[in-house]
Amino acid sequence: MAKYLAQIVVMGVQVVGRAFARALRQEYAASQAAANARGRAGQQSAAASSITGMSLQEAQQILNVSTLSPEEIQKNYEHLFKVNDKSVGGSFYVQSKVVRAKERLDEELSIQSQNKQQSEKTTET
């Protein structure tokens, strides 16, 4: 009886193991397909989000910008930085979020300019 029970347990573990391995392969394939669909710019943007700890959308919300205009970003950054200065009763936490948001948006602007330069080089050739 114990022998049959052990065989049932082993077969169950094998079935679950195979199903898990298959699901893992499918998830990996799906993530690779999504990464390829995003292309190089998506990978750089994801890396920037990972480094700064803030997504592009979150940074845009913090600085209240809808487009990536350097002038608008700088203007809103300066205003929010001054308003949240600790010496005028502001929040250091919010001020640090404003700084991180500006860093994230600056990084995104540099990524976009690099991609633009690369696309210009490829069209020239």
Side-chain angles (χ1 to χ4, degrees):
M1 183 72 166
K3 179 180 173 182
Y4 294 120
L5 185 60
Q7 286 178 340
I8 291 172
V9 169
V10 168
M11 288 178 66
V13 169
Q14 287 176 343
V15 168
V16 170
R18 285 187 197 125
F20 180 75
R22 187 177 317 129
L24 191 61
R25 280 193 300 270
Q26 287 175 348
E27 182 61 32
Y28 180 74
S31 71
Q32 289 298 314
N36 290 337
R38 281 193 308 266
R40 182 162 167 72
Q43 291 172 350
Q44 288 177 332
S45 185
S49 293
S50 165
I51 291 168
T52 60
M54 183 179 294
S55 71
L56 177 61
Q57 291 78 19
E58 182 181 3
Q60 286 178 312
Q61 287 176 343
I62 290 170
L63 289 181
N64 193 27
V65 293
S66 55
T67 60
L68 293 179
S69 162
E71 298 81 21
E72 185 181 7
I73 291 170
Q74 186 65 31
K75 184 183 95 170
N76 289 359
Y77 165 74
E78 288 173 358
H79 171 73
L80 290 170
F81 191 84
K82 288 177 188 173
V83 168
N84 288 296
D85 191 8
K86 198 164 175 96
S87 64
V88 294
S91 165
F92 179 73
Y93 174 76
V94 174
Q95 192 179 40
S96 68
K97 286 297 240 182
V98 168
V99 170
R100 297 293 166 248
K102 180 162 186 328
E103 288 175 352
R104 176 64 180 95
L105 293 176
D106 287 344
E107 184 68 27
E108 191 66 28
L109 286 170
S110 72
I111 289 169
Q112 286 183 357
S113 68
Q114 287 174 358
N115 289 340
K116 185 177 180 182
Q117 289 173 356
Q118 288 177 351
S119 66
E120 288 174 356
K121 285 181 183 178
T122 57
T123 56
E124 290 175 358
T125 344

